[in-house]
Amino acid sequence: MGSAGGGSASDPGSDQELWERLRAGDHFALGELFDRYADAVRAFAFRRTASWSTADDVVQATFLSTWRRFERNPPGPLTGSSARGWLLVVAGNECRTLARTASRLRNLVDRLPGPAPDDDHAPDVARRLDDELRMSAIRRAVAKLPRHERETLELVVWSGLTTSEAAEALGVPIGTVKARLHRTRRRFPDLLTRVALNEELS
């Protein structure tokens, strides 16, 4: 897995070629996009939800929703070289959908018996819990941002999209993306990775 992609539209391995195959109803193309971007979607969803299990659910929901969208009403041609930004926007929508039902899901899980203790998995479980606690604290701070600034931060700073890729995915001018990042940096001078923002804004 990974975030490889790009290439020209005629390149059989390019995102644009996979996109066109998907528009033609080729479900194998979606599988190739899954292999290429599932990790990026999962990392994005974890930063949105502070839960690895929810992030796994978001990955499945993102690609299922994508397939349904292409079956029902295929979008136009991919204008950029990468489908990653488009998929991350879908993932953001799926995060919001899952958040609306999170309380009911937690109540259900709370009623289920827990797994038997297994010392072999204890370090991994502890690491995941530490990750989730740290991310929960970050999410509480970032939640104070307006939604459009939060979405821009998630795509550029946390998911590594360029400002032009984020602008394309969000359907806004690149100047708008840079302005949002400037405002975010002023709000959170210590929380965000200043180096990442400086690179994007230079």
Side-chain angles (χ1 to χ4, degrees):
M1 295 186 185
S3 58
S8 65
S10 60
D11 178 0
S14 73
D15 283 11
Q16 290 180 332
E17 192 272 343
L18 292 177
W19 188 271
E20 288 306 310
R21 284 171 50 195
L22 192 53
R23 276 163 42 86
D26 182 356
H27 67 275
F28 290 109
L30 182 65
E32 293 183 51
L33 285 174
F34 180 93
D35 289 341
R36 190 168 289 178
Y37 293 118
D39 283 349
V41 170
R42 185 171 184 263
F44 172 86
F46 172 69
R47 292 178 177 119
R48 283 290 300 267
T49 66
S51 166
W52 284 116
S53 61
T54 302
D56 288 336
D57 292 339
V58 170
V59 171
Q60 300 301 321
T62 294
F63 286 92
L64 178 59
S65 175
T66 296
W67 176 247
R68 288 174 174 167
R69 165 71 189 279
F70 275 82
E71 273 194 318
R72 183 175 62 251
N73 182 26
L78 185 64
T79 55
S81 62
S82 173
R84 182 170 59 145
W86 193 91
L87 289 168
L88 293 182
V89 170
V90 174
N93 293 334
E94 294 300 332
C95 287
R96 284 189 287 273
T97 298
L98 286 175
R100 287 194 288 266
T101 60
S103 179
R104 291 198 300 272
L105 290 174
R106 281 195 298 268
N107 290 337
L108 174 62
V109 170
D110 288 343
R111 292 196 294 270
L112 297 175
D118 187 344
D119 291 339
D120 290 341
H121 296 291
D124 183 58
V125 170
R127 178 187 58 77
R128 288 165 65 94
L129 289 175
D130 286 344
D131 286 348
E132 292 180 357
L133 287 172
R134 285 194 296 269
M135 186 52 64
S136 291
I138 294 172
R139 288 304 311 174
R140 285 193 295 272
V142 173
K144 299 174 184 177
L145 288 170
R147 176 174 163 180
H148 61 276
E149 289 185 24
R150 186 169 65 246
E151 289 176 338
T152 304
L153 176 150
E154 290 162 350
L155 291 176
V156 176
V157 179
W158 285 348
S159 298
L161 267 65
T162 64
T163 49
S164 60
E165 288 172 336
E168 178 188 342
L170 295 170
V172 299
I174 190 170
T176 299
V177 170
K178 291 186 176 184
R180 290 175 182 177
L181 291 173
H182 275 298
R183 288 194 296 270
T184 300
R185 182 169 59 180
R186 286 200 302 269
R187 292 172 189 266
F188 295 107
D190 300 319
L191 176 62
L192 303 181
T193 303
R194 185 176 292 274
V195 172
L197 277 175
N198 283 340
E199 289 176 352
E200 285 302 329
L201 296 172
S202 61

